[in-house]
Amino acid sequence: MTVSAAADLEHGWLAESVRIATSNVADGGGPFGALVAKDGEIISTGVNRVTPSLDPTAHAEVVAIRAACQALGDFKLTGCVLVSSCEPCPMCLASALWARVDRVLFAADRHDAAKAGFDDRAFYELFENPRENWEVPVSRLSLKDGFAPFDAWLDRPDRVDY
């Protein structure tokens, strides 16, 4: 595939993610859409369903990643591209990293999202600060058997590492 053809394909994917995001607003969802592509083909799509499904993790990227994993029968999306109508928030970006996508492409950025009332910049800034300065306490409480689940995991000869 030529560089020009690849760029055209990527622009088409971006346009589709924006189209499904815009359509999702009319369906009662948030203004976000995403898709996962592999080998030039769209494997899955996802739209933001946070409010209709009462699920704060139902971001478009996470929905698309979940659907792609099911479609491909694998929890690893190596060889795939995540394409989103907007820059993924930290949760969605972490999901893409855990899924091991090859690349992430997006149209609007975090500043555009903030103008529409979706200000993820606060999360990006939060992660730059020590946890003891966070408004929501996140702390470790040690237990004698706190490592027991990991011991059980490490003892399984049939485990699937991820």
Side-chain angles (χ1 to χ4, degrees):
M1 182 180 301
T2 67
V3 172
S4 177
D8 288 346
L9 190 59
E10 291 175 352
H11 279 92
W13 293 337
L14 277 172
E16 178 62 8
S17 71
V18 169
R19 186 195 69 73
I20 63 175
T22 304
S23 177
N24 191 51
V25 173
D27 292 338
F32 302 95
L35 61 86
V36 174
K38 183 174 184 173
D39 300 328
E41 300 291 327
I42 295 174
I43 303 300
S44 68
T45 62
V47 292
N48 181 287
R49 302 304 292 166
V50 169
T51 55
S53 66
L54 305 177
D55 179 356
T57 68
H59 289 201
E61 298 89 345
V62 173
V63 172
I65 287 168
R66 289 174 180 159
C69 289
Q70 292 301 307
L72 296 174
D74 198 342
F75 60 87
K76 293 181 184 176
L77 297 179
T78 305
C80 294
V81 180
L82 174 65
V83 182
S84 181
S85 63
C86 187
E87 180 178 4
C89 74
M91 176 185 72
C92 293
L93 187 55
S95 298
L97 295 173
W98 273 109
R100 292 167 180 83
V101 299
D102 286 5
R103 291 184 301 136
V104 177
L105 302 173
F106 59 89
D109 68 13
R110 66 183 83 169
H111 306 291
D112 297 320
K115 290 176 193 171
F118 298 91
D119 198 351
D120 296 335
R121 295 177 300 188
F123 296 119
Y124 285 98
E125 293 167 4
L126 177 69
F127 292 127
E128 294 175 2
N129 292 312
R131 284 187 183 171
E132 57 269 12
N133 295 338
W134 292 11
E135 287 183 31
V136 175
V138 177
S139 55
R140 179 179 185 189
L141 182 60
S142 294
L143 275 178
K144 179 182 175 203
D145 295 327
F147 198 78
F150 296 115
D151 282 332
W153 172 257
L154 292 170
D155 287 344
R156 283 195 67 120
D158 62 339
R159 72 178 181 265
V160 177
D161 292 327
Y162 60 96

